[in-house]
């Protein structure tokens, strides 16, 4: 298997993925990836990688650092060994990594993934981390805060050294002493402060001699005045070293006690980095999770070879194992045949390693127990093998290994020898492998293999498309179509003399010429079918758009119908209220007449009132029933006149108003009407002519009364216009208006008060707060009147 992994260049893929790891342990895990063969295990690994990708896309990649492998060192320290400060700093780095991962996961813990079990093992050890951070400054220095004793010793050392330097500085400044000194400086010998005295004056300076210069001209003397101070400093330094040793032992013991948990944390962090490194590599390839099975079926959509430049690689669709078990790929050289073989083999191996692959969504791939490949020139000078012999040895090895769980990829099968014998041998090999139940992809130039694929069940031709106009390959893989080698066309494009090409064409057998002609016709038919398919797809898309548009219009029509019914209900309520008010006025006048029946002008006033009442009733009838026309003896509606363009009519069965947009047809039984955005043809028997004179008559100014002036507009919403009213008058009108609206079961009303100074609006809204029938109110928005109106929602 290892040999075929190298042929497919799986090692290069793993080296690319390794670049996304943050630490050496994870890099080793990626480079050591091997194809797995258990379907459930592969699915689990793929799911973890995909979950890591989704988490990275949603929350960003976790903050991984370059933490070191601490497993060996913590094992040693648990057995009593001592660690260096660098080792302890590496442990602190790991604990900081654990802390960062824990905090990152806290932001996305609500999202359940297959990585939850790993993240649950990430438990910060804040106590140990704080101890290490508080105790260590660098790889060479312990912090003063490591212990109170160390801090106190270092303070005393600082004071003692400072006092000693002051004493020495005073001695150096002494004029008598200066003539004895080689230099006016203080130096150290054996950790003790000394003065550089000229050799000839060594008897003039009392003290202990510690060293002599190489030339013998300088004697380093510790004056007797500072011997005691130097002794104190050396004692403090000794105590400092003892305290540092005690602190180091304490730190090592603390790390050793947590050895097992630290090793688990290291392994978990490395493993999480492993999955997120694979996820980030997948992101760089624009890779996705395929549907994985072990049934031998491969259906790759827009597959790309991951080692090719993504800007130049042409995606290919490859299908194998469902309707055919052998894919015979033909076409010109450099057309992409070998790349297609390697793409399938490499993507299969990547999937078996738990990596996502660069394909389109819903692609399907199968795992195999063996991926066997014979690709490339296997000529070996060392073994004295020709290309054909080397290929044959590879094929023999494949035949000995192949079974029904094998994916076999063979490039130029049967080439390198006599074409007739090579083609016959290739067919025999394919038949043998088919009987074993293996899945095969084979590339070839042989006409015999193209004919074999066309005539044999379970075998399908495929071709790498070649543009005969530009004489360049397009790298598209066309299933079901054999390809031409285009050797003559390519040779001519490269400059081969025409006379040689014509002679070569004359040497091709008539049978081969007919076959190439059939392939040419087949290719032309395929291109025509592709054009027709594209056209049909465009028609389908247009039909879907039209369907969507029709559904939107239908929805809008139903919405308009509902709004119209709401408006009609509101209008009917207004008519009832208006009629009730007029009836009450008539009753009041009758009561008044009854009281005045004894007066002389009683008769004339009754007559006048009767005439006025008749007129009012007539107007009320017109208001309640705007339809013009009459009924015949059969009870059928009769139009008062022929309809004409522009008339407003009522569609009786729909109770919808519409406008005539065309003259009646020649049979005078139907007409086109416009209803909202819909234009339709309607039978005349369904139409009623409406009286529109009331809509065109100018409004007459009326005195303000206690009646509510309201109209139905804006989706069935009642409106009250109180512009110009005083605050008290406006509030009174609003109270009456809302009472009528409640009786009419209107849910939302509009009060138009204008902007002005805002006093009327404030008075109205203040009143609305105290009215029990008001559920809510708000200022109008753009298109409703903004601050000039108040929209009221009633209970």
């Amino acid at each position: 298997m290892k040999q075929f992994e190298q042929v497919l260049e799986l090692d290069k893929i793993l080296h690319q993925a390794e670049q996304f790891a943050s630490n050496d342990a994870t890099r080793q895990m990626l480079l050591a990836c091997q194809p797995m063969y258990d379907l459930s295990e592969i699915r689990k690994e793929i799911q973890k990688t995909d979950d890591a990708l989704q988490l990275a896309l949603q929350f960003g990649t976790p903050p991984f650092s370059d933490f070191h492998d601490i497993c060996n060192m913590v094992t040693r320290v648990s057995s009593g060994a001592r660690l260096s400060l660098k080792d302890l700093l590496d442990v602190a780095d790991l604990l900081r990594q654990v802390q960062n991962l824990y905090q990152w996961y806290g932001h996305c813990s609500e999202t359940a993934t297959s990585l939850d079990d790993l993240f649950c093992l990430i438990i910060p050890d804040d106590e140990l981390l704080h101890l290490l951070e508080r105790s260590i400054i660098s790889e060479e220095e312990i912090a003063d805060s490591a212990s109170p004793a160390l801090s106190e010793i270092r303070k005393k050392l600082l004071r003692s050294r400072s006092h000693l330097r002051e004493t020495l500085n005073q001695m150096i400044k002494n004029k008598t002493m200066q003539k004895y000194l080689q230099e006016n400086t203080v130096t150290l010998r054996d950790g003790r402060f000394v003065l550089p005295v000229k050799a000839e004056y060594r008897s003039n300076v009392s003290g202990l001699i510690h060293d002599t210069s190489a030339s013998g001209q300088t004697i380093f003397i510790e004056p007797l005045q500072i011997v005691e101070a130097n002794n104190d400093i050396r004692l403090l330094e000794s105590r400092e070293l003892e305290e540092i040793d005690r602190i180091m032992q304490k730190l090592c013991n603390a790390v050793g006690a947590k050895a097992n948990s630290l090793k688990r944390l290291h392994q978990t962090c490395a493993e999480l980095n492993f999955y997120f490194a694979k996820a980030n590599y997948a992101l760089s390839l624009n890779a996705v999770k395929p549907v994985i099975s072990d049934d031998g079926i491969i259906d790759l959509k827009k597959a790309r070879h991951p080692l090719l430049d993504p800007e130049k690689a042409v995606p290919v669709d490859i299908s194998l194992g469902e309707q055919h078990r052998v894919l015979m790929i033909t076409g010109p050289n450099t057309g992409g045949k070998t790349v297609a073989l390697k793409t399938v083999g490499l993507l299969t191996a990547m999937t078996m390693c738990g990596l996502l692959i660069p394909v389109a969504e819903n692609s399907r791939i199968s795992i195999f127990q063996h991926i066997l490949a014979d690709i490339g020139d296997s000529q070996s000078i060392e073994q004295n093998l020709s290309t054909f012999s080397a290929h044959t040895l590879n094929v023999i090895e494949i035949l000995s290994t192949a079974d029904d769980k094998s994916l076999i990829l063979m490039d130029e099968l049967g080439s390198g020898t006599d074409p007739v014998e090579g083609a016959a041998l290739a067919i025999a090999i394919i038949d043998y492998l088919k009987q074993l139940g293996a899945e095969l992809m084979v590339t070839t130039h042989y006409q015999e293999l193209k004919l074999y694929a066309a005539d044999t069940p379970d075998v399908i031709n495929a071709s790498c498309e070649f543009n005969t106009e530009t004489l360049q390959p397009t790298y598209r893989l066309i299933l079901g179509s054999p390809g031409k080698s285009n050797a003559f066309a390519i040779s001519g494009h490269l400059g081969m003399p025409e006379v040689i090409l014509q002679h070569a064409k004359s040497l091709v057998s008539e049978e081969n010429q007919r076959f190439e002609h059939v392939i040419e016709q087949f290719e032309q038919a395929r291109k025509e079918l592709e054009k027709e398919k594209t056209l049909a797809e465009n028609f389908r898309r247009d039909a879907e758009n039209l369907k969507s548009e029709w559904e939107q219009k239908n929805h809008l029509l139903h919405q308009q119908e509902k709004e119209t019914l709401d408006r009609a209900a509101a209008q009917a309520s207004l008519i009832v209220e208006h009629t009730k008010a007029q009836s009450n006025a008539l009753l009041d006048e009758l009561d008044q007449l009854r009281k005045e029946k004894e007066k002389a002008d009683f008769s004339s006033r009754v007559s006048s009132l009767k005439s006025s009442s008749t007129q009012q009733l007539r107007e009320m009838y017109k208001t309640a029933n705007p339809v013009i026309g009459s009924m015949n003896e059969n009870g059928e509606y009769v139009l008062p006149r022929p309809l004409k363009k522009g008339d407003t009519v009522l569609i009786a069965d729909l109770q919808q108003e519409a406008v005539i947009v065309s003259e009646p047809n020649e049979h005078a039984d139907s007409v086109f009407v416009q209803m909202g955005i819909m234009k339709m043809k309607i039978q005349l028997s369904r139409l009623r002519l409406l009286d529109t004179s009331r809509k065109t008559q100018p409004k007459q100014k009326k005195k303000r009364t206690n009646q509510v002036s309201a109209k139905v507009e804006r989706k069935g919403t009642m409106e009250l216009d109180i512009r110009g009213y005083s605050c008290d008058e406006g509030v009174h009108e609003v109270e009456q208006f809302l009472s009528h609206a409640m009786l009419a079961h209107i849910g939302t009303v509009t009060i138009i008060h204008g902007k002005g100074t805002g006093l009327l609006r404030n008075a109205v809204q203040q009143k609305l707060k105290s009215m029990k029938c008001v559920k809510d109110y708000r200022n109008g928005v753009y298109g409703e009147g903004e601050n000039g109106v108040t929209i009221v929602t009633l209970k």
Side-chain angles (χ1 to χ4, degrees), residues 1 15 52 157 208 217 234 237 245 262 310 337 390 399 419 472 485 524 577 687 715:
M1 184 70 179
H15 276 291
L157 265 173
L208 303 176
Q217 299 297 315
R234 292 301 297 270
E237 288 175 344
D245 186 68
L262 287 172
K337 301 189 300 298
L399 293 174
Q472 294 293 328
S485 295
Q524 187 63 31
E577 293 297 320
L687 302 179
K715 303 181 181 180

Side-chain angles (χ1 to χ4, degrees), residues 172-186:
I172 290 172
K173 291 177 182 178
N174 185 279
K175 292 184 179 180
T176 303
M177 180 65 72
Q178 285 181 355
K179 71 177 183 178
Y180 301 148
L181 299 179
Q182 196 73 257
E183 296 176 356
N184 293 334
T185 59
V186 178

Side-chain angles (χ1 to χ4, degrees), residues 18-206:
E18 173 244 349
Q19 302 301 316
F20 293 88
S22 70
N23 61 89
D24 290 338
T26 301
R27 294 186 189 99
Q28 292 302 318
M29 290 172 68
L30 284 166
L31 293 177
C33 268
Q34 291 292 320
M36 297 170 284
Y37 302 97
D38 182 79
L39 179 60
S40 61
E41 185 180 0
I42 293 172
R43 284 176 173 169
K44 287 179 182 177
E45 288 297 299
I46 288 287
Q47 187 61 52
K48 288 180 180 179
T49 303
D50 187 58
D51 284 345
L53 176 60
Q54 301 308 316
L55 286 172
L57 289 173
Q58 188 173 359
F59 303 103
T61 302
F64 287 104
S65 61
D66 187 10
F67 55 88
H68 293 82
D69 189 346
I70 51 88
C71 294
N72 290 332
M73 70 175 72
V74 298
T75 300
R76 286 189 288 106
V77 77
S78 65
S79 302
R82 291 287 292 270
L83 298 180
S84 66
L85 287 176
K86 182 182 181 305
D87 293 338
L88 293 172
L89 287 174
D90 288 344
V91 173
D93 287 341
L94 174 65
L95 292 175
R96 274 189 289 271
Q97 173 68 86
V98 170
Q99 193 176 66
N100 291 335
L101 286 175
Y102 181 80
Q103 292 172 352
W104 181 88
Y105 183 63
H107 296 298
C108 55
S109 57
E110 294 181 0
T111 305
T113 69
S114 57
L115 297 174
D116 288 348
D117 291 342
L118 284 175
F119 275 111
C120 288
L121 298 177
I122 297 294
I123 303 174
D125 192 333
D126 295 334
E127 182 182 356
L128 180 57
L129 177 59
H130 179 65
L131 176 62
L132 293 172
E133 289 180 334
R134 187 189 67 212
S135 304
I136 305 173
I137 294 177
S138 66
E139 295 180 6
E140 293 84 22
E141 187 177 2
I142 290 285
D144 293 351
S145 57
S147 76
L150 181 63
S151 176
E152 184 63 27
I153 290 171
R154 285 181 172 175
K155 286 178 183 178
K156 289 181 179 179
L157 265 173
L158 184 62
R159 287 195 299 267
S160 297
R161 285 169 178 162
S162 176
H163 179 69
L164 183 58
R165 284 186 178 278
E166 288 178 4
T167 303
L168 288 170
N169 285 336
Q170 289 176 0
M171 294 177 67
I172 290 172
K173 291 177 182 178
N174 185 279
K175 292 184 179 180
T176 303
M177 180 65 72
Q178 285 181 355
K179 71 177 183 178
Y180 301 148
L181 299 179
Q182 196 73 257
E183 296 176 356
N184 293 334
T185 59
V186 178
T187 185
L188 280 172
R189 285 293 184 274
D190 297 328
R192 301 178 76 90
F193 289 96
V194 295
L195 294 176
V197 180
K198 296 176 182 177
E200 61 268 26
Y201 294 115
R202 66 180 178 179
S203 60
N204 296 94
V205 180
S206 59

Side-chain angles (χ1 to χ4, degrees), residues 293 295-300 317-329 340-341 344-345 348 364-366 368 406-409 438-442 458-460 477 479:
S293 65
D295 54 9
I297 297 175
I298 296 174
D299 184 17
L300 302 179
D317 295 341
I318 302 176
S319 178
L320 179 68
E322 187 168 14
Q323 297 178 350
H324 46 269
R325 310 198 69 161
V326 181
L327 189 61
M328 191 78 67
I329 306 177
L341 287 185
V344 173
T348 303
R364 183 174 179 180
I365 200 163
S366 177
F368 297 90
S406 299
L407 173 64
I408 301 174
L409 312 169
E439 312 292 337
L440 285 86
M441 288 182 66
V442 179
D458 272 359
V459 183
I460 186 172
L477 187 66
L479 294 179

Side-chain angles (χ1 to χ4, degrees), residues 10 57 214 260 296 303 339 342 471 502 519 588 614 657 724 786:
L10 178 62
L57 289 173
N260 291 331
V339 171
K342 287 189 173 183
L471 296 178
Q502 292 300 327
I519 291 179
D588 291 341
T614 302
E657 288 189 16
E786 302 180 3

Side-chain angles (χ1 to χ4, degrees), residues 438-480:
E439 312 292 337
L440 285 86
M441 288 182 66
V442 179
T443 68
T444 185
H445 287 286
Y446 290 154
Q447 301 285 21
E448 293 85 352
L449 290 180
K450 298 178 188 177
L451 287 169
Y452 166 80
D455 294 336
T456 307
D458 272 359
V459 183
I460 186 172
N461 273 306
S463 62
C464 290
E465 190 178 50
F466 187 81
N467 191 325
T468 54
E469 296 179 359
T470 62
L471 296 178
Q472 294 293 328
T474 66
Y475 301 104
R476 288 182 59 211
L477 187 66
I478 311 299
L479 294 179

Side-chain angles (χ1 to χ4, degrees), residues 405-568:
K405 297 294 184 182
S406 299
L407 173 64
I408 301 174
L409 312 169
M410 291 189 286
D411 193 21
E412 303 293 351
L413 180 62
S415 63
T417 186
D418 178 76
V420 175
E421 293 181 356
L425 184 60
I427 291 173
I429 292 170
I430 293 172
D431 281 338
Y432 178 79
L433 292 173
K434 273 182 57 186
Q435 291 176 2
L436 292 178
E439 312 292 337
L440 285 86
M441 288 182 66
V442 179
T443 68
T444 185
H445 287 286
Y446 290 154
Q447 301 285 21
E448 293 85 352
L449 290 180
K450 298 178 188 177
L451 287 169
Y452 166 80
D455 294 336
T456 307
D458 272 359
V459 183
I460 186 172
N461 273 306
S463 62
C464 290
E465 190 178 50
F466 187 81
N467 191 325
T468 54
E469 296 179 359
T470 62
L471 296 178
Q472 294 293 328
T474 66
Y475 301 104
R476 288 182 59 211
L477 187 66
I478 311 299
L479 294 179
S481 169
K484 295 176 61 178
S485 295
N486 293 291
F488 295 153
I490 294 174
S491 299
H493 180 65
L494 295 176
M496 182 70 70
E498 183 64 25
V499 62
I500 294 178
L501 293 176
Q502 292 300 327
H503 182 55
K505 290 177 181 178
S506 67
L507 297 176
V508 177
S509 67
E510 183 178 347
E511 181 181 347
N512 282 339
Q513 288 182 9
R514 284 201 305 270
F515 183 71
E516 288 291 329
H517 182 63
V518 168
I519 291 179
E520 220 171 287
Q521 289 180 329
F522 186 84
E523 180 67 13
Q524 187 63 31
R526 182 191 63 78
K527 291 180 178 179
E528 291 296 330
L529 284 174
E530 278 196 352
K531 289 181 182 178
E532 294 294 331
K533 181 182 177 182
T534 302
L535 188 61
E537 181 65 22
N538 291 337
F539 283 145
R540 184 190 64 79
R541 194 179 300 111
D542 291 342
E544 288 181 351
N545 292 337
L546 287 174
K547 179 184 177 183
S548 176
E549 184 179 348
W550 178 84
E551 288 177 347
Q552 290 177 357
K553 288 183 177 179
N554 189 41
H555 176 71
L556 183 59
L557 178 61
H558 284 299
Q559 189 175 1
Q560 286 182 340
E561 179 181 353
K562 182 179 181 302
E563 292 173 358
T564 302
L565 291 174
D566 290 342
R567 285 198 300 270

